[in-house]
Amino acid sequence: MIVRRLVDGVDERLDGTSFIKRNLRKVFPDHWSFMLGELALYSFALLLLTGTFLSLFFVASPAETVYRGPYAPLQGREVSLAYDSVLRISFEVRAGLVMRQTHHWSALVFVAAMTAHLVRVFFTGAFRKPRELSWIIGVTLLVLGIGAGFTGYSLPDDLLSGTGLRIIYSAVLSIPVIGTWLAYLFFGGEFPSAELIPRLFVMHILLIPALIVGALSAHLALVWHQTHTQFRPQGTPEESVTGTPVWPKFALKSVGLAFMTFAVLTGLGGLVQINPIWLYGPFLPYSAPSPAQPDFYAGWLEGLLRLWPNWEFHAFGHTIGELFLPAVVVPGIIFTALALWPFIEARVTRDTAMHHDAQRPREVPVRAGVGAAGIAFFVLLMLAGSNDVLAKYLQVEVDTLNGVLKVLLFVVPVLVFAITWWICRDLRARDAAPIARPARVEFRRNAAGGFDESHDGAGPGAGPGEPVAARPADREDP
């Protein structure tokens, strides 16, 4: 009774019941592709859970120690405390290896789901006015996700991650004027400094997650207010929303997807090995693994670095390092153009109207062509990021493979654009003038033992759509 009075009193003053009812009745468009964003959300939730567990055992220190754990090949070797603690998590902490691998798989799925979600929004034109801000936040989340993945991937202080860190340090250092200051800020001095791992740890568990939570909250608030765009039947006004209410159908489906995401990622963490740092060994500044492959979200950048010429030049009294263009300028242009795409397309097409419907890719062939060409460009860069592995399996020289990939990098996207544009234009034309369905003819046995012919199911009759008389040839002799 006391609780009920308390709830009624709060509801009377805050009008909470009507607020909750109003929002639970909110209708969301329903389509399987909308779950890509939810998949990213639940992967991030699992990242936070497993990351909290790992932070209880990880030691963010580059100080050296002697490894005395159960992994025999490394016993007696000098390693950093960070590397030693990750080995301890993997081999000595109960459920430590499952948690670490689930954390890594969740990070991969988190970035992959965001990428797929972004591609879906791009091809369906769901970024158009009034959803430009939601698109920009989505691109920002993708960049933050890559940053979170890279900083976490670098924390174990193993040989593979250390090589990647050395490349990024050189890229930051190549930025004119402010490169030295930025390198000092993020890396704590000359690489590898004693401050490096503690600063990466702060960025990985505090700064970047806080930015992701903030951007994610803003993104969800916008989606809640604007709802998804939707594929609607022809003739339906754009202002109408067709879908399922938040409660119970939409909410229960979403909860089910959350549990499925947790189950699959935990299963991967328990069954599929990933990032076995004990095989790479501890980081040594004078050594590098070969072949070396980063996680997929950094593969395209690795490929760009491997294919880019060794251009170093001087301007205004400053030396521009050879990594500045491929590691800073080109990615900056790509992500800036991606973030501003809604405004670029609106400017080119002079379309400033409000849109709440989703388009099929065929409806805008140029956009579909640009998107497909962009995907082909990134796939080729990822292949270039694996050039040492590919060269080994193809039995060719790495330089030969690089030469082929450089040519393909210019040719394939253009071809993909042309083919996609041509296919979409043809499909769109078919929508405008669809091919008539061929008339259906049915034959039914009649009481006399012959057959009656009918068109389009209109019954026995003489012509299309009309009953036809049984043909003499169809009759059977009694």
Side-chain angles (χ1 to χ4, degrees), residues 35 263 400:
M35 292 187 176
T400 304

Side-chain angles (χ1 to χ4, degrees), residues 21 32 60 123 154 208 213 230 303 315-316 334 353-354 363-364 367 391 424 429 453 463 465:
K21 284 183 178 177
W32 67 266
F123 278 98
S154 304
I208 296 179
V213 169
Q230 64 181 116
F316 306 105
I334 290 174
M354 305 281 273
E363 296 180 46
V364 189
R367 183 205 297 149
C424 289
E453 178 181 340

Side-chain angles (χ1 to χ4, degrees), residues 95-175:
L97 183 58
V98 173
M99 287 290 185
R100 194 173 80 80
Q101 295 194 146
T102 301
H103 190 73
H104 203 127
W105 278 115
S106 300
L108 296 182
V109 173
F110 176 53
V111 180
M114 281 196 296
T115 305
H117 183 55
L118 207 69
V119 169
R120 195 276 299 175
V121 171
F122 181 87
F123 278 98
T124 58
F127 53 78
R128 294 176 297 165
K129 188 179 181 181
R131 294 176 176 79
E132 302 97 325
L133 182 57
S134 186
W135 168 264
I136 293 174
I137 294 175
V139 175
T140 306
L141 278 169
L142 179 60
V143 175
L144 290 172
I146 294 174
F150 181 78
T151 52
Y153 172 82
S154 304
L155 282 176
D157 198 30
D158 59 287
L159 186 56
L160 183 60
S161 65
T163 304
L165 269 177
R166 186 164 46 200
I167 295 172
I168 295 300
Y169 173 78
S170 302
V172 173
L173 208 59
S174 70
I175 301 174

Side-chain angles (χ1 to χ4, degrees), residues 45 57 197 306 360 389 453:
F57 303 97
I197 293 179
R306 296 187 184 189
R360 290 179 296 176
V389 178
E453 178 181 340

